[in-house]
Amino acid sequence: MIQIVDLIVKIKGAVILNNIQATFEESLVHGIVGLNGAGKTTFFNTLSCVLKPSFGRIIFKDRPISFKDIGYLESSNFFYSNITGREYINIFEQTNPDFNILALSQLTNLPLDNLIETYSSGMKKKLAMLAILKQNKPIFLFDEPFNSLDIESSKILELVIANLKDKQKTLFISSHIIETLVPICDYIHLIEKGTIKKTFCKNEFNSIEDELLGHFKQSARSIINESI
Amino acid sequence: MKLLCLRFKQCRRALNDLGVYSLVLGFLALLLITISSSLHQKSSTSFYQLIVLSVLCLIVHFYRSDKKFIYLHIKNPYLEIYLEYLVLFLPFSFSVLFTAHGYYFFIFQLLIVVISFITVSISKVNYFRLKSISRIINSSRFEYLSGIRQSFFFLIPLYSLAVTFSWFYVVPHVFLWLITVTFASFYNECEPLNVLRSNNKSPRQFLWHKIALHAKLLLPLYIPILIINTWFNRDFWFINILFLLLQLSLLIFAITLKYRSYQPNEKLYRNKIILSIVSLSAILPYLLPVPLLMSLVYFKTALKNLNHFL
């Protein structure tokens, strides 16, 4: 169980996450959705201990969560310049005994001996994902993992997520596109104005879009009709 | 003038970031301008100086990565680029105007006008790939994998010269010092957070591990040359030991400076200037302890900064 108690995160005085109270079941896939600026990335950064809570705590297995518990695939991937994909992967200690770099690089079509600068953004995302999969972590955070992936790679990612779930890992996945989350998530949590407004279980997934975009669509439509 | 205004703002921001080091930088700049002015008094040295400045301008122009953007989006791009170079090199070229060979100034202007029109760029990807380098240098020393790829054609001649002149007084030391300064420049880029965290070490363990790992790379390169040097210059043994310690302290300084200001994925441009200033201390005998003392101070602040991330 991952428990979030009274979580408040402020950045430069502004409250980004506002008093989040939530409990997430382990070994399940949790989707995180929200409009731009709702606080999704801050939520992920706090879960992965990149940001420290201004107040409150995150509990995992009856102790404060640590970055050692988490494999974090960030939305934008940065790499050290002038190193090859293979060298990048080799920086990480292999704690996942099943990790097979040869098979995975062939599957993902990654030219591991080329400098990372020559990679497309989709290839960079896949490389970052391989580095994370090399490590055996109980929790995985994927922030916008489907961005810049082609159809094949998106399918591979879906299969990776299913595989991690089978291995009893807990996953948090954010996406702007709700359709990408529907087939893979057990729960989808809606973040609005820095707090988890609602949690949807599988049979409620078709009402998420209305909940998320209902009001926005109405006001956007009237602005567009008046302005164009 | 748009680009120039932007550069002024960037410079002002960089100087603010430098804090007290901006005074040292200002002093060094004044020193260089004075030297440049005195070189302009003689026709021959003035001529060579302007050749060097033109080559520098050409290198800057070839390697700048914003050219495409400027040519595409800025009005009068060639004029804007020319104005940038004019202002950049003016402190080192204007004094030639007050000499008998003042026309050199206009020849130099003509050269930088021509350079502004060159649209060819040298991209980073064209750097020597050195595919097999990771067989010699482990991936955990990724700063060296990256740095050596960038500076390979500079480091190899330097090290060859250090080996060739290893039995001379002082000469190999100059080359080795230049190598250390190059190595120290490898620490101006921050690795992503997941790379930093991949060690699973506490901040103190991490810093000591990093220092030991990189010192192990430096020592086998330097010790053979210094042993040969000591063999031929027996009275120099003490200087050689001191020199080795100084190189190690420069390396430790570079590492602690990096992690003192570590922010994931950042390029530490400010540190480049600080590093250049502290590296110069190796030439001035009374400033020799500076890197070591600064390392001690920065070690503590690096630990404090790393506590946020590890």
Side-chain angles (χ1 to χ4, degrees):
Chain A
M1 198 78 88
I2 299 158
Q3 217 183 335
I4 298 182
V5 187
D6 304 332
L7 183 72
I8 296 174
V9 177
K10 291 180 186 173
I11 299 176
K12 290 178 185 166
V15 179
I16 310 293
L17 296 183
N18 190 9
N19 202 20
I20 295 184
Q21 314 276 350
T23 304
F24 300 98
E25 266 183 73
E26 278 180 63
S27 313
L28 294 180
V29 181
H30 298 274
I32 304 288
V33 292
L35 297 177
N36 269 343
K40 298 187 297 285
T41 299
T42 306
F43 178 68
F44 275 41
N45 283 339
T46 314
L47 263 183
S48 61
C49 312
V50 175
L51 288 174
K52 283 190 177 152
S54 312
F55 189 78
R57 59 218 151 98
I58 304 170
I59 309 288
F60 175 59
K61 294 191 188 296
D62 301 322
R63 59 168 171 78
I65 202 163
S66 154
F67 71 83
K68 291 174 186 169
D69 299 318
I70 287 162
Y72 183 17
L73 180 69
E74 291 172 272
S75 55
S76 321
N77 306 108
F78 293 92
F79 299 92
Y80 209 82
S81 58
N82 293 304
I83 61 170
T84 65
R86 192 180 302 283
E87 287 160 3
Y88 177 74
I89 295 281
N90 286 342
I91 293 173
F92 299 89
E93 192 190 345
Q94 182 166 345
T95 48
N96 173 8
D98 302 327
F99 182 79
N100 181 341
I101 183 67
L102 187 69
L104 286 172
S105 65
Q106 279 170 356
L107 177 72
T108 50
N109 228 348
L110 278 179
L112 283 182
D113 292 314
N114 288 0
L115 293 180
I116 301 174
E117 276 95 329
T118 61
Y119 285 21
S120 67
S121 45
M123 285 158 116
K124 284 180 181 170
K125 180 134 289 187
K126 288 189 275 186
L127 181 70
M129 188 178 73
L130 290 192
I132 286 159
L133 295 176
K134 196 177 175 188
Q135 302 157 84
N136 188 19
K137 306 273 187 177
I139 303 168
F140 287 89
L141 308 182
F142 291 171
D143 191 7
E144 304 286 353
F146 294 98
N147 278 5
S148 63
L149 289 186
D150 54 31
I151 301 170
E152 271 173 293
S153 306
S154 295
K155 189 43 78 184
I156 292 171
L157 181 62
E158 277 181 31
L159 295 170
V160 165
I161 290 167
N163 176 277
L164 290 172
K165 191 189 165 191
D166 289 345
K167 288 184 168 177
Q168 305 296 305
K169 307 292 182 190
T170 308
L171 287 106
F172 290 86
I173 302 160
S174 76
S175 180
H176 284 303
I177 307 157
I178 298 163
E179 289 75 24
T180 56
L181 294 179
V182 169
I184 52 176
C185 290
D186 297 295
Y187 290 101
I188 293 180
H189 310 271
L190 171 63
I191 293 193
E192 201 176 280
K193 291 175 186 166
T195 194
I196 294 183
K197 189 185 169 195
K198 196 172 175 182
T199 294
F200 300 84
C201 54
K202 266 195 179 296
N203 56 4
E204 297 170 317
F205 281 178
N206 46 13
S207 66
I208 297 173
E209 195 169 321
D210 283 340
E211 186 82 40
L212 180 68
L213 294 170
H215 178 69
F216 172 78
K217 265 199 230 168
Q218 219 172 8
S219 61
R221 190 177 296 127
S222 71
I223 290 170
I224 289 167
N225 288 342
E226 285 167 19
S227 324
I228 298 176
Chain B
M1 295 287 274
K2 259 185 190 173
L3 212 58
L4 214 54
C5 292
L6 193 73
R7 297 292 180 231
F8 276 126
K9 281 178 191 167
Q10 286 175 319
C11 285
R12 211 170 49 193
R13 215 174 297 141
L15 284 175
N16 282 341
D17 284 350
L18 271 177
V20 71
Y21 286 104
S22 60
L23 292 174
V24 186
L25 189 71
F27 172 73
L28 285 174
L30 269 177
L31 194 73
L32 283 175
I33 292 169
T34 316
I35 295 169
S36 155
S37 301
S38 65
L39 287 174
H40 278 312
Q41 299 312 311
K42 258 179 87 181
S43 170
S44 59
T45 50
S46 175
F47 177 76
Y48 288 127
Q49 192 188 175
L50 289 176
I51 293 277
V52 169
L53 288 180
S54 308
V55 172
L56 271 177
C57 182
L58 194 67
I59 292 170
V60 168
H61 189 73
F62 269 142
Y63 281 96
R64 62 187 292 171
S65 53
D66 58 350
K67 269 205 306 263
K68 241 185 195 171
F69 176 83
I70 294 170
Y71 290 136
L72 213 67
H73 299 291
I74 304 277
K75 205 176 166 191
N76 301 325
Y78 304 108
L79 178 67
E80 292 277 355
I81 290 178
Y82 163 70
L83 284 175
E84 265 193 311
Y85 295 150
L86 171 73
V87 173
L88 182 67
F89 293 104
L90 198 62
F92 306 101
S93 56
F94 83 99
S95 55
V96 74
L97 275 171
F98 309 105
T99 63
H101 42 277
Y103 61 93
Y104 280 180
F105 179 82
F106 300 103
I107 297 174
F108 179 63
Q109 294 310 307
L110 192 69
L111 280 172
I112 56 175
V113 166
V114 172
I115 290 171
S116 324
F117 276 89
I118 299 174
T119 51
V120 182
S121 283
I122 296 177
S123 98
K124 270 188 174 180
V125 179
N126 292 339
Y127 282 148
F128 200 47
R129 273 194 187 177
L130 289 169
K131 270 189 180 176
S132 50
I133 193 177
S134 51
R135 285 189 201 149
I136 307 161
I137 300 172
N138 190 283
S139 292
S140 56
R141 291 165 174 135
F142 52 86
E143 293 97 339
Y144 282 80
L145 287 173
S146 166
I148 288 174
R149 279 201 178 98
Q150 283 185 63
S151 324
F152 184 73
F153 291 115
F154 178 64
L155 285 170
I156 289 296
L158 277 183
Y159 193 69
S160 310
L161 285 167
V163 173
T164 313
F165 295 103
S166 53
W167 56 84
F168 280 69
Y169 274 110
V170 184
V171 182
H173 303 84
V174 173
F175 293 122
L176 290 181
W177 172 73
L178 284 172
I179 293 174
T180 313
V181 173
T182 313
F183 281 171
S185 72
F186 296 171
Y187 298 96
N188 289 327
E189 185 179 344
C190 295
E191 61 270 39
L193 190 59
N194 54 355
V195 172
L196 181 82
R197 287 175 164 181
S198 65
N199 287 280
N200 284 331
K201 286 184 168 63
S202 70
R204 186 175 291 275
Q205 285 171 330
F206 172 80
L207 271 183
W208 279 120
H209 174 74
K210 197 94 181 170
I211 290 167
L213 199 71
H214 292 187
K216 275 181 200 166
L217 202 76
L218 192 98
L219 292 176
L221 283 176
Y222 288 18
I223 287 176
I225 293 175
L226 294 177
I227 287 176
I228 296 172
N229 191 268
T230 310
W231 181 264
F232 285 97
N233 312 292
R234 297 290 164 96
D235 53 328
F236 225 55
W237 68 270
F238 182 70
I239 299 289
N240 278 338
I241 291 175
L242 204 69
F243 175 80
L244 191 64
L245 290 177
L246 183 72
Q247 302 315 297
L248 281 176
S249 68
L250 260 179
L251 183 82
I252 297 170
F253 173 75
I255 294 173
T256 50
L257 177 67
K258 174 185 170 180
Y259 289 104
R260 172 186 179 263
S261 29
Y262 174 86
Q263 282 297 324
N265 316 317
E266 289 280 309
K267 294 223 164 135
L268 306 168
Y269 296 110
R270 177 180 179 250
N271 284 8
K272 277 186 190 177
I273 305 169
I274 298 175
L275 211 56
S276 323
I277 295 168
V278 174
S279 301
L280 283 175
S281 69
I283 304 172
L284 307 167
Y286 52 91
L287 288 179
L288 283 180
V290 169
L292 188 65
L293 293 174
M294 298 291 274
S295 303
L296 291 174
V297 177
Y298 283 0
F299 190 89
K300 280 184 186 168
T301 44
L303 282 181
K304 203 174 160 191
N305 185 39
L306 283 173
N307 268 327
H308 293 294
F309 302 104
L310 292 174

